[in-house]
Amino acid sequence: QVQLVESGGGLVQAGGSLRLSCTTSGSIFHTVAMGWYRQGSGNERELVASINGGGGITYADSVKGRFFISRNNAKDTVYLQMNTLKPEDTAVYYCWLAGYASSSTFSRTDYWGRGTQVTVSS
């Protein structure tokens, strides 16, 4: 059973920085990608940033130039460095992993962490 655990959320003033971490426990045969989604109050969950096994990175337009994603492939750990935070970045941030549980699994599975709250005060 794969589990994702986020850490690093909290309360910060606008303009400040936070670093989120996501650690993986359990075994997974092949990780396709990892990343971060967020869901603000009254909003749908949206992709913030993702990184695939080849190092390809995608960012939401709203965070480009401020947020930076990195990954430790050996540990299936992913990080999100968030700089110049804005009140509109306030949300619950969820870690995400897409992969195949075993060599006999033909369909990709999406795994989610429970989320960590990030609150940016103005």
Side-chain angles (χ1 to χ4, degrees):
Q1 183 75 13
V2 175
Q3 290 186 328
L4 307 178
V5 179
E6 304 98 338
S7 61
L11 173 64
V12 65
Q13 288 187 334
S17 298
L18 284 174
R19 185 176 188 245
L20 304 183
S21 300
C22 174
T23 57
T24 305
S25 63
S27 64
I28 187 163
F29 174 69
H30 176 64
T31 300
V32 175
M34 295 187 72
W36 296 90
Y37 281 72
R38 68 185 180 186
Q39 187 167 17
S41 178
N43 296 330
E44 294 185 353
R45 190 174 296 190
E46 63 174 357
L47 174 68
V48 176
S50 67
I51 182 168
N52 62 31
I57 291 175
T58 299
Y59 291 106
D61 288 342
S62 60
V63 306
K64 284 180 180 177
R66 300 188 299 121
F67 290 12
F68 301 95
I69 189 171
S70 59
R71 177 182 167 186
N72 183 325
N73 288 336
K75 297 182 179 180
D76 271 340
T77 301
V78 66
Y79 307 94
L80 185 68
Q81 178 66 42
M82 305 186 294
N83 301 325
T84 318
L85 283 160
K86 303 176 181 180
E88 51 263 44
D89 294 319
T90 295
V92 178
Y93 284 70
Y94 296 92
C95 181
W96 163 75
L97 183 154
Y100 295 87
S102 70
S103 59
S104 60
T105 303
F106 295 100
S107 60
R108 195 189 81 178
T109 300
D110 290 333
Y111 301 91
W112 297 93
R114 291 188 174 185
T116 184
Q117 177 70 45
V118 171
T119 302
V120 184
S121 63
S122 57

